[in-house]
Amino acid sequence: MVDQKEIAGIFNDFRNLYIGKSELGIRQLLEKYKNHPVLMGLFSNMDEAVKLQIPQTMKEVYDFYKKYRGRELEDKDWENVSEEANRMIKEKDNNFWYRRMVLEMVTLLDKDDHERRQIAKEVEKEMEAAIQEMDAA
């Protein structure tokens, strides 16, 4: 499962580094989060990032992630995710840094949803096996 506390930590630590309130440097953040793709995305395309109000923008992207995380997403939910992501990106004039961060959040949502569904399938198989054992006894 996606470690939601880790994602929150990455966002907070990067924001603090960006606004000059961090005691950690870039290398220390990379080591702390083991080059996590979200952190790598935050460090990429900084020439595009500086065109935005980073603290506000990061809050907006993280709030989008929080809105959908931690639950199985049905087809309608995925339609909403897609529409909202596209709207957000357009509102920021398709800023490359922003687009990458929104898409990183969509990727996390997809990964988490896939893992949840896989776990549910495994539990269902175990339950069916247990029922069959009880019926056979």
Side-chain angles (χ1 to χ4, degrees):
M1 295 287 213
V2 174
D3 184 346
Q4 297 172 4
K5 287 184 181 182
E6 181 179 41
I7 302 305
I10 289 170
F11 268 72
N12 285 329
D13 285 345
F14 179 84
R15 187 199 66 227
N16 288 340
L17 175 68
Y18 188 85
I19 63 175
K21 290 189 175 184
S22 178
E23 296 179 18
L24 299 176
I26 293 172
R27 176 173 286 184
Q28 292 158 319
L29 284 181
L30 292 172
E31 290 171 0
K32 179 178 180 179
Y33 294 109
K34 300 178 179 102
N35 297 335
H36 194 286
V38 171
L39 182 61
M40 299 308 289
L42 287 165
F43 281 127
S44 70
N45 306 298
M46 291 303 294
D47 57 325
E48 286 289 306
V50 297
K51 297 174 183 176
L52 304 168
Q53 297 294 322
I54 293 299
Q56 293 168 323
T57 301
M58 289 182 68
K59 181 180 181 336
E60 181 180 302
V61 171
Y62 189 72
D63 286 347
F64 165 73
Y65 169 68
K66 283 192 331 185
K67 183 176 179 179
Y68 296 101
R69 73 177 184 195
R71 58 188 172 111
E72 280 188 29
L73 300 172
E74 301 301 327
D75 289 344
K76 184 63 178 163
D77 296 316
W78 281 113
E79 287 175 25
N80 292 338
V81 166
S82 178
E83 289 171 7
E84 189 169 349
N86 285 326
R87 179 191 51 77
M88 291 168 64
I89 292 167
K90 285 179 185 175
E91 286 177 0
K92 295 289 190 250
D93 297 323
N94 209 26
N95 178 282
F96 191 76
W97 182 88
Y98 186 79
R99 180 178 51 194
R100 177 163 181 181
M101 293 317 307
V102 170
L103 294 177
E104 286 286 349
M105 297 304 102
V106 171
T107 299
L108 289 177
L109 293 170
D110 183 53
K111 180 180 177 185
D112 192 49
D113 184 60
H114 179 75
E115 289 175 359
R116 287 178 178 284
R117 290 178 189 278
Q118 189 64 33
I119 290 169
K121 285 180 186 177
E122 290 171 10
V123 168
E124 187 176 330
K125 283 181 185 178
E126 289 175 9
M127 295 292 286
E128 288 174 8
I131 290 170
Q132 288 176 356
E133 284 181 23
M134 289 174 57
D135 289 344

